[in-house]
Amino acid sequence: MDKKLKIGLVFMVAAVVLMPIAVLLKSVSEVATIALLIFTMCLELIGLVFVIWSILKRRKS
């Protein structure tokens, strides 16, 4: 497995793990929930960029 693909998958798994925590924080603090949701969306976006980059690199060679 390519290094960039592994990095992308780690970011995506981290975002999936953090998402239920954001839902649990909803009753405690709305600001913390929104901040954690934005953070998980950024993690998903970074992971997606790495995965697409890996796929495009593999397709070129």
Side-chain angles (χ1 to χ4, degrees), residues 44-56:
E44 283 284 344
L45 183 63
I46 292 168
L48 184 63
V49 167
F50 274 104
V51 169
I52 290 173
W53 191 7
S54 171
I55 291 170
L56 291 176

Side-chain angles (χ1 to χ4, degrees), residues 6-46:
K6 284 183 184 178
I7 292 171
L9 291 175
V10 167
F11 274 105
M12 292 176 123
V13 168
V16 168
V17 169
L18 288 176
M19 190 67 69
I21 296 172
V23 173
L24 291 175
L25 279 177
K26 187 176 180 183
S27 62
V28 177
S29 172
E30 187 175 326
V31 175
T33 303
I34 293 171
L36 194 55
L37 285 174
I38 291 171
F39 180 66
T40 57
M41 285 189 277
C42 290
L43 285 176
E44 283 284 344
L45 183 63
I46 292 168

Side-chain angles (χ1 to χ4, degrees), residues 1-6 9 50-61:
M1 197 182 301
D2 189 23
K3 184 178 179 182
K4 289 179 182 60
L5 181 63
K6 284 183 184 178
L9 291 175
F50 274 104
V51 169
I52 290 173
W53 191 7
S54 171
I55 291 170
L56 291 176
K57 186 177 178 184
R58 185 180 301 164
R59 194 175 263 183
K60 283 184 179 181
S61 55

